[in-house]
């Protein structure tokens, strides 16, 4: 099969072409801001993007190198008129090299990303601020409880919403993440924030955004037949006053609905 290497080469060229093209098309790349930019709108998201690109470049170079070696070997040692295909067993020296090199790359990546991981995931890195909200994943919605005028969660004046996350641009926000039934995954794609919500655990999650706008909240864990419905709206307000104004309107609406449900005679 003299021409099998050409098929391998065509597949490799297509893969490399997709690899090179994807950063120039937001539909192919990671989601970003409302203006269609290619980078995250959060400070930690940009660090994650940098790690992602670094890993993509490393694996891309390795892929190109191995594909070149594969195509060359299958072409060089294939049978041909007047020549018998050559068969040989592995080289211990080469096996040692291609074991040590990937291991060294993995160790480098593990050490290089450690600081970013610690800043995102370690509880000791959580900002010492008042929580924005308590968010509970349940089949199939995100239930959000914001502290009311008293500023304390789980009191009578809390604001309760479904699939509607609000916070302020340029400020760190902290939420407490829970799950009431199965494992869900809280995912803010434009911010590169992703955290599993596990029943029985309260997990702090913190993030920020430097661009005002509307984004998407999804569940990244297949959590049941209605998993696709776990999509929420994220609104980043331009200022604290905008956020307070929204909060006031939402509380008034909640209180009006509560009074309407109880009725004028308190029934």
């Amino acid at each position: 099969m003299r021409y099998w290497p050409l098929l391998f080469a065509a597949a490799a060229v297509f893969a490399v072409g997709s690899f090179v093209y994807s950063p120039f098309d937001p539909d192919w790349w990671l989601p970003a801001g409302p203006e269609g930019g290619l980078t995250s709108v959060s400070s930690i998201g940009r660090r994650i993007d940098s790690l992602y690109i670094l890993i993509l470049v490393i694996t891309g170079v390795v892929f190109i190198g191995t594909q070149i070696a594969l195509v060359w070997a299958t072409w060089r040692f294939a049978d041909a008129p007047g020549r018998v295909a050559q068969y040989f067993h592995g080289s211990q020296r080469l096996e040692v090299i291609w074991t040590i090199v990937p291991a060294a790359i993995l160790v480098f990546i593990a050490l290089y990303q450690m600081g970013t991981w610690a800043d995102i995931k370690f509880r000791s890195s959580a900002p010492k601020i008042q929580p924005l909200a308590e968010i509970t994943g349940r089949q199939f919605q995100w239930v959000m409880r914001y502290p009311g005028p008293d500023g304390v969660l789980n009191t009578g004046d809390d604001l309760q919403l479904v699939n509607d996350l609000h916070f302020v641009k340029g400020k760190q926000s902290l939420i407490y993440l829970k799950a009431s039934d199965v494992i869900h995954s809280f995912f803010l794609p434009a911010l590169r924030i992703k955290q599993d919500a596990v029943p029985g655990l309260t997990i702090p999650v913190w993030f920020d955004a430097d661009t005002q706008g509307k984004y998407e909240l999804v569940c990244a864990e297949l959590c049941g037949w209605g998993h696709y419905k776990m999509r929420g709206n994220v609104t980043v307000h331009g200022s604290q006053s905008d956020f307070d104004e929204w909060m006031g309107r939402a509380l008034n609406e909640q209180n009006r609905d509560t009074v309407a449900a109880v009725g004028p005679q308190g029934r």
Side-chain angles (χ1 to χ4, degrees), residues 5 22 37 48 65 77 87 102 139 148-149 158 160 163 176 192 205 220 253:
S22 58
I48 293 174
F77 297 106
Y87 297 94
Q139 294 174 315
D158 287 351
Q160 300 187 56
N163 296 338
Y176 291 148
R192 316 291 191 254
V205 181
E253 186 172 345

Side-chain angles (χ1 to χ4, degrees), residues 258-267:
T258 302
V259 171
V262 172
Q265 284 77 41
R267 295 178 295 179

Side-chain angles (χ1 to χ4, degrees), residues 218-239:
V218 296
C219 177
E221 185 81 28
L222 184 59
C223 58
W225 66 268
H227 161 71
Y228 70 95
K229 295 190 295 187
M230 288 194 69
R231 307 180 69 173
N233 298 314
V234 178
T235 302
V236 179
H237 294 268
S239 64

Side-chain angles (χ1 to χ4, degrees), residues 89-112:
H89 295 288
S91 165
Q92 187 174 17
R93 177 181 297 177
L94 282 176
E95 289 176 357
V96 170
I97 292 173
W98 66 49
T99 299
I100 291 178
V101 171
I105 292 174
L106 288 176
V107 170
F108 165 75
I109 293 174
L111 295 176
Y112 188 78

Side-chain angles (χ1 to χ4, degrees), residues 43-213:
S43 56
I44 200 68
R46 285 189 286 275
R47 293 174 62 184
I48 293 174
D49 282 355
S50 298
L51 287 173
Y52 179 78
I53 292 171
L54 173 66
I55 294 171
L56 198 59
V57 169
I58 291 174
T59 53
V61 169
V62 171
F63 176 77
I64 291 172
T66 53
Q67 290 303 305
I68 290 174
L70 174 64
V71 171
W72 176 81
T74 52
W75 180 271
R76 170 68 179 78
F77 297 106
D79 62 340
R83 189 184 70 190
V84 178
Q86 300 178 34
Y87 297 94
F88 51 87
H89 295 288
S91 165
Q92 187 174 17
R93 177 181 297 177
L94 282 176
E95 289 176 357
V96 170
I97 292 173
W98 66 49
T99 299
I100 291 178
V101 171
I105 292 174
L106 288 176
V107 170
F108 165 75
I109 293 174
L111 295 176
Y112 188 78
Q113 59 80 41
M114 191 174 294
T116 301
W117 179 262
D119 290 342
I120 303 171
K121 297 294 184 181
F122 284 13
R123 287 175 180 257
S124 57
S125 300
K128 306 299 185 291
I129 57 177
Q130 185 178 13
L132 169 77
E134 177 187 272
I135 299 180
T136 303
R138 72 181 185 192
Q139 294 174 315
F140 296 96
Q141 57 188 198
W142 298 103
V143 179
M144 302 178 179
R145 177 186 286 268
Y146 296 83
D150 66 359
V152 181
L153 270 171
N154 296 309
T155 57
D157 65 348
D158 287 351
L159 172 65
Q160 300 187 56
L161 297 174
V162 173
N163 296 338
D164 199 8
L165 177 62
H166 292 249
F167 57 95
V168 181
K169 181 185 78 171
K171 292 182 63 175
Q172 280 276 358
S173 297
L174 172 70
I175 64 165
Y176 291 148
L177 185 63
K178 296 181 175 181
S180 62
D181 37 41
V182 300
I183 295 178
H184 301 277
S185 187
F186 178 86
F187 185 28
L188 301 172
L191 278 65
R192 316 291 191 254
I193 294 296
K194 182 174 179 292
Q195 174 61 54
D196 284 352
V198 182
L201 296 181
T202 299
I203 302 173
V205 181
W206 53 97
F207 47 83
D208 64 8
D210 55 18
T211 305
Q212 180 180 352

